[in-house]
Amino acid sequence: MAFADLLLEALRAARNSGTVQNLKDRRHDLYTTVWRER
């Protein structure tokens, strides 16, 4: 079990201006998302 303090504003800043932005850096030619209806 782990406990940590989380600063939501720091998390938002890291997501918006971090060095690795997972969704923006994704290679769409290699990985695609296919959504199926339920």
Side-chain angles (χ1 to χ4, degrees), residues 6-23:
L6 178 63
L7 300 174
L8 294 179
E9 189 57 40
L11 179 61
R12 285 186 199 100
R15 286 182 176 173
N16 290 331
S17 62
T19 57
V20 176
Q21 298 177 354
N22 293 334
L23 295 177

Side-chain angles (χ1 to χ4, degrees), residues 11-34:
L11 179 61
R12 285 186 199 100
R15 286 182 176 173
N16 290 331
S17 62
T19 57
V20 176
Q21 298 177 354
N22 293 334
L23 295 177
K24 292 180 182 177
D25 293 339
R26 178 181 292 168
R27 288 194 50 188
H28 295 283
D29 59 329
L30 294 177
Y31 305 102
T32 60
T33 303
V34 178

